[in-house]
Amino acid sequence: MNILDKIVLRKKEEVAACKAKISITNLEKQAAFSRETYSLKDFLTHPERTGIIAEFKRKSPSKGIINNQVTVEEVTMGYNQAGASALSVLTDHDFFMGHEDDLMAARAVNNIPILRKDFMVDEYQIIEAKAIGADIILLIAACLTKEELISFAKLAKSLGLSTLLEVHSQEELDFSLNPYIDVVGVNNRNLKDFTVSIDTSLQLAQTIPSEFLKVSESAIDSPETIKILKKAGFNGFLIGENFMKTASPGKAMQDFVQQL
């Protein structure tokens, strides 16, 4: 069983526990559920924004603790001020040391789109994402069926949420595209062995249909890498570890952006 399989198995147990604790009806009564969401497409293409989706991540299965000394408010506000097009906030408890409270804290102090970065395996999580203040959900092709990808993306759209589809290969791209997807993300990290290479993005760039915006994820560690990816047609760049491994992630992003 690889790490992705382990995460998905644990996620299904976690969701079952959440369902028993808080009903969908109660989620729909939360204040954030009725707020008007921010569009990922609008912010990725905004001329005054950088295209960077900046991530708040304390820990990962491959690196262990990255940074657990900073607050989500301080980091995400720093990202926003540095020109982030969107924020990505981990809500996975066991493997990434994230929490739904982190996303709610980021939402309270920011006026740009927020991605609920998690492993979506149930429609309940999409409704929960809206209820905690998210604007975007992540659908990982590697852990969902074609039918689930369609029904999850359709539900997200009905709730006003943007959908970021994550793929790792041509095969995943071919079976996972559907009309309800907003943005296609190419993860340069192999979720089975955690190796990284931007070649994955460069190879898939030309085969992603033009109606979808393109985001490259992981392995983006320099402004030069973004310049290469922009030339290949990418509109967005998800960066977390590169900023989070510093004492001041917001300042690290600011310095990074000045070199673009």
Side-chain angles (χ1 to χ4, degrees):
M1 190 183 286
N2 61 47
I3 188 65
L4 181 59
D5 294 333
K6 289 177 183 174
I7 291 171
V8 169
L9 193 64
R10 175 68 188 116
K11 189 59 56 181
K12 288 179 177 176
E13 295 171 350
E14 204 177 281
V15 172
C18 287
K19 282 181 172 179
K21 193 175 171 184
I22 305 173
S23 69
I24 286 175
T25 303
N26 283 337
L27 288 176
E28 292 173 343
K29 288 177 182 174
Q30 294 187 26
F33 192 84
S34 58
R35 62 174 280 272
E36 189 173 339
T37 53
Y38 296 110
S39 162
L40 176 58
K41 279 186 176 181
D42 289 351
F43 278 76
L44 277 181
T45 55
H46 196 290
E48 293 177 15
R49 292 277 160 180
T50 59
I52 292 173
I53 302 173
E55 188 160 274
F56 180 81
K57 177 165 66 173
R58 296 187 183 91
K59 176 188 176 185
S60 80
S62 58
K63 297 289 176 72
I65 300 291
I66 298 165
N67 188 341
N68 62 352
Q69 302 300 310
V70 288
T71 69
V72 66
E73 292 93 343
E74 169 199 348
V75 171
T76 57
M77 286 172 72
Y79 287 160
N80 191 348
Q81 288 161 9
S85 288
L87 304 168
S88 172
V89 180
L90 269 295
T91 58
D92 176 80
H93 305 184
D94 293 357
F95 296 89
F96 291 87
M97 207 186 282
H99 201 277
E100 292 78 10
D101 289 348
D102 292 330
L103 197 147
M104 289 190 278
R107 172 80 288 144
V109 294
N110 289 286
N111 58 352
I112 60 175
I114 301 179
L115 165 68
R116 181 187 187 178
K117 186 77 175 292
D118 212 320
F119 298 80
M120 305 307 243
V121 296
D122 194 291
E123 291 188 345
Y124 178 92
Q125 294 167 285
I126 300 168
I127 295 164
E128 184 181 47
K130 181 78 188 287
I132 62 175
D135 304 275
I136 315 154
I137 59 155
L138 180 70
L139 296 182
I140 302 173
C143 59
L144 295 168
T145 65
K146 182 174 183 174
E147 292 71 29
E148 285 171 330
L149 287 162
I150 293 170
S151 64
F152 288 8
K154 189 175 182 181
L155 173 60
K157 189 166 280 294
S158 75
L159 295 174
L161 298 169
S162 298
T163 299
L164 174 60
L165 168 70
E166 179 176 295
V167 298
H168 302 81
S169 66
Q170 186 66 50
E171 183 185 8
E172 287 181 7
L173 180 66
D174 290 342
F175 90 80
S176 59
L177 286 177
N178 69 68
Y180 305 104
I181 300 294
D182 296 289
V183 179
V184 175
V186 179
N187 194 340
N188 300 308
R189 185 184 304 279
N190 183 317
L191 287 183
K192 294 179 179 175
D193 61 17
F194 280 82
T195 55
V196 291
S197 170
I198 67 156
D199 288 343
T200 310
S201 281
L202 298 177
Q203 287 162 10
L204 291 181
Q206 302 310 311
T207 61
I208 297 170
S210 58
E211 63 261 34
F212 300 100
L213 293 185
K214 305 179 186 74
V215 170
S216 183
E217 309 170 19
S218 300
I220 303 170
D221 54 9
S222 72
E224 287 67 37
T225 303
I226 284 192
K227 290 170 188 174
I228 292 167
L229 290 165
K230 276 188 176 177
K231 280 185 183 176
F234 283 88
N235 315 91
F237 319 91
L238 195 148
I239 306 175
E241 219 164 272
N242 194 55
F243 302 145
M244 284 299 296
K245 66 186 180 184
T246 69
S248 177
K251 175 68 164 57
M253 179 173 167
Q254 195 172 48
D255 295 343
F256 186 100
V257 168
Q258 285 172 355
Q259 298 173 62
L260 288 175

